[in-house]
Amino acid sequence: MKLLIGNKCYSSWSLRAWLLLRARGIAFEEQLVLLDAPGFKDAVFAAAPGSGGTVPTLVDGEIAVWETLAIAEYLHDRFPDAGIWPSDMAARAHARSISSEMHAGFSSLRNACPMNLGKRYAARDRGPGVARDVERITSLWRQARERFGGAGPFLYGAFSAADAMFAPVVTRLDTYAIAVDATSQAYIDAVLALPVYRDWLDGALAEPWIVAHDEVDEPASADLRKL
């Protein structure tokens, strides 16, 4: 099984699929395809014929699966005992609902605060759209934690596809110093402390590539990359 990913510093969708595989103990080989490089789509198509030409793309023999939610569902079918989604039906329905909302929404936060694991920024007002997105996201997190999270520190207790879907949001709230409620902060801290996330972060900070459109036009309070 192979996972095609983009640059670890910037590729939020790649982080989701990679983190889910690693956190649930599913063996795979990663293949980096540089974002914005000439021939990007050709490289993806060469490794995954018939795919969408995007990252992440999971290749399992002759099967290619692109789009992160589709990858999660494929892994749930392929490894039914791996805990990709919560085992409880009500929790699983909630997890799928908020993951779909994440997949389709929160454009203000995404546009104003692109994932960039190499920089930290000072707290400031990032506009009403970002504030609305953060309020909705944290309300979803509180719902999940209060209703289903008693067995562990993640949204549904154990780490699941829903946590993978929200992991890049966690990094944004952290690197852009966006304040949240105590329940949400505890959840953020749990994701950031996850050993497999720390592995991804170490890889991201060691990368030499810069993707200009994911570099925010404001002074960074800290530059963490090992360039």
Side-chain angles (χ1 to χ4, degrees):
M1 187 175 289
K2 179 185 294 185
L3 184 70
L4 310 180
I5 62 171
N7 309 44
K8 290 182 176 179
C9 191
Y10 305 105
S11 185
S12 59
W13 292 104
S14 298
L15 168 60
R16 292 174 167 101
W18 187 98
L19 199 61
L20 180 59
L21 284 158
R22 285 288 306 275
R24 302 318 304 164
I26 299 171
F28 69 99
E29 174 190 348
E30 67 178 68
Q31 179 177 329
L32 176 65
V33 184
L34 292 179
L35 301 174
D36 289 348
F40 171 84
K41 283 190 175 293
D42 290 340
V44 176
F45 289 139
S51 72
T54 58
V55 290
T57 291
L58 183 70
V59 181
D60 187 12
E62 295 183 356
I63 296 172
V65 190
W66 59 101
E67 296 293 341
T68 307
L69 276 178
I71 291 171
E73 294 297 353
Y74 177 77
L75 293 174
H76 179 70
D77 291 342
R78 178 81 159 76
F79 304 98
D81 298 323
I84 301 300
W85 293 108
S87 58
D88 176 76
M89 183 177 292
R92 189 163 63 252
H94 193 269
R96 282 175 162 146
S97 295
I98 71 170
S99 296
S100 294
E101 186 171 345
M102 172 67 258
H103 191 276
F106 309 121
S107 59
S108 293
L109 177 64
R110 294 187 200 194
N111 293 334
C113 305
M115 191 178 90
N116 183 346
L117 299 180
K119 300 282 181 65
R120 300 186 69 87
Y121 298 96
R124 67 175 180 85
D125 183 357
R126 296 188 179 277
V130 171
R132 284 192 298 270
D133 281 355
V134 172
E135 178 53 38
R136 176 58 180 166
I137 289 164
T138 54
S139 73
L140 294 174
W141 290 355
R142 291 193 299 273
Q143 287 177 26
R145 292 291 302 143
E146 290 163 10
R147 294 178 60 189
F148 306 110
F154 301 107
L155 293 177
Y156 302 90
F159 190 95
S160 74
D163 299 293
M165 288 299 295
F166 280 98
V169 174
V170 165
T171 72
R172 286 171 164 95
L173 298 182
D174 179 57
T175 57
Y176 291 90
I178 296 174
V180 297
D181 61 275
T183 298
S184 298
Q185 187 60 55
Y187 172 62
I188 288 171
D189 293 343
V191 174
L192 295 179
L194 195 65
V196 290
Y197 170 71
R198 304 304 298 182
D199 289 344
W200 175 278
L201 179 62
D202 287 344
L205 297 182
E207 289 180 341
W209 308 286
I210 299 295
V211 176
H213 63 72
D214 282 331
E215 294 288 328
V216 176
D217 187 19
E218 63 182 85
S221 60
D223 192 335
L224 307 177
R225 298 184 68 175
K226 304 164 185 174
L227 298 178

